[in-house]
Amino acid sequence: MKNKTMSGLFDLTGRVALVTGSSRGIGNALAKGLADAGATVVLNGISTERLEKAHQAMAADYPVGRVHSRAFDVTDAGSAAEGVAWIEQNVGPLDILVNNAGIQHRVPMLELDVKDWDRVITTDLTSAFLVGREAARHMIPRGHGKIINICSVQTDLARPTIAPYVAAKGGLRNLTRAMTAEWAASGLQINGIAPGYIHTEMTQNLVDDADFNSWILGRTPANRWGTTADLAGPTVWLASQASNFVNGQTIFVDGGMTVVV
Ligand code: NAP
């Protein structure tokens, strides 16, 4: 196959992509990766101020009309429906959804309040069902669509003090499979990306913790923290035609952490 044809497989020109939780961190980097591959992107978050800043910053780097934003809470079914409907009406038919919005809460399980358990499960797992279902309702009649669920190494591995996160991210892998079971025959591909430890705002306190930092470096065969840029290529691949027969998989982008003890 000629190079030109091969790069065309990854071209997202004309595709509309929503990345939830993209006002900062990993989601923001994934939105830029998709835009660099040609997609028109919609940024999302809860804080309208942070989202507007992210929108302005990104819009300056791309042609007019390629960057949009819509604030909505991914944990609320009505807001998710309204958010997706707004995109369909104002930006275009949604081709790509990245369920990225997520939170962490570190407390030993014996001290964990049920409200905090619910908050993490709802934000990190139920949201993917709510926004995914809404996106699929539009994608299925069109016969195509890509949904990418952002998982974690905690999809496979547990650590003390983060029980709801571990439960949610493990559940997200199986939700990816459940979406595949129901929607793949309608032309949708649903896959997960499981990032290793990535240096972002969410993990800054861990990077600053000398003991934790040296544990991460020792535990990761690649001997470094991941960067948000490490996740862009796999996301573009799963959003593009190049992955049209990849379905229900969770791809670990973790420097090898989950294959060693
Ligand atoms: P982050 O920097 O804390 O950013 C979280 C984003 O999610 C923000 O844009 C935030 O919006 C948004 N958000 C949170 N709750 C929301 C809600 N209910 N509705 C809409 N948006 C909401 O997080 P991150 O480190 O980039 O992590 C992003 C994803 O990657 C998460 O799913 C996380 O579990 C996963 N992950 C991260 C790492 C890592 O090392 N960082 C590793 C593996 C997996 P506001 O700005 O409005 O709050």
Side-chain angles (χ1 to χ4, degrees):
M1 197 179 279
K2 286 180 188 162
N3 279 344
K4 200 173 165 209
T5 312
M6 182 53 85
S7 65
L9 272 179
F10 295 85
D11 185 9
L12 300 180
T13 302
R15 308 285 164 84
V16 173
L18 164 64
V19 183
T20 67
S22 47
S23 56
R24 55 193 159 107
I26 289 175
N28 193 257
L30 299 185
K32 287 176 181 161
L34 293 170
D36 287 341
T40 294
V41 299
V42 183
L43 304 177
N44 158 263
I46 294 190
S47 155
T48 47
E49 196 184 331
R50 206 159 22 227
L51 187 61
E52 186 51 30
K53 265 192 200 153
H55 184 159
Q56 297 295 334
M58 191 171 162
D61 293 336
Y62 295 90
V64 174
R66 289 273 304 286
V67 181
H68 303 260
S69 63
R70 187 71 176 171
F72 63 89
D73 183 346
V74 295
T75 67
D76 180 77
S79 304
E82 188 279 332
V84 171
W86 182 88
I87 294 166
E88 291 271 332
Q89 279 160 24
N90 296 280
V91 183
L94 185 62
D95 300 296
I96 300 158
L97 165 65
V98 183
N99 280 315
N100 165 82
I103 55 169
Q104 180 60 285
H105 182 74
R106 291 188 176 86
V107 171
M109 229 187 306
L110 293 181
E111 293 154 32
L112 179 62
D113 194 292
V114 71
K115 277 201 209 101
D116 290 321
W117 167 274
D118 285 344
R119 195 167 54 84
V120 175
I121 297 286
T122 308
T123 310
D124 293 5
L125 177 58
T126 311
S127 66
F129 156 64
L130 293 175
V131 188
R133 179 181 62 168
E134 218 44 54
R137 283 176 171 155
H138 293 274
M139 290 170 172
I140 286 170
R142 295 195 281 262
H144 64 91
K146 301 273 186 179
I147 297 178
I148 301 165
N149 294 322
I150 302 303
C151 300
S152 162
V153 290
Q154 270 83 39
T155 288
D156 237 17
L157 305 173
R159 270 186 67 73
T161 76
I162 55 169
Y165 188 83
V166 170
K169 293 296 185 180
L172 194 51
R173 174 189 238 172
N174 255 3
L175 177 64
T176 302
R177 292 167 170 156
M179 287 174 165
T180 298
E182 295 200 18
W183 303 338
S186 302
L188 274 59
Q189 287 87 46
I190 305 98
N191 291 288
I193 288 182
Y197 281 79
I198 307 293
H199 186 173
T200 65
E201 221 169 288
M202 195 193 220
T203 54
Q204 187 58 52
N205 57 336
L206 301 178
V207 175
D208 293 340
D209 177 334
D211 288 343
F212 194 88
N213 186 50
S214 81
W215 176 80
I216 288 286
L217 299 185
R219 186 66 185 74
T220 307
N223 194 233
R224 67 171 175 88
W225 285 75
T227 67
T228 53
D230 290 323
L231 302 170
T235 302
V236 167
W237 169 56
L238 288 177
S240 74
Q241 291 177 72
S243 59
N244 275 355
F245 201 50
V246 181
N247 224 329
Q249 303 302 313
T250 295
I251 313 295
F252 283 75
V253 185
D254 65 355
M257 178 178 261
T258 47
V259 301
V260 295
V261 288

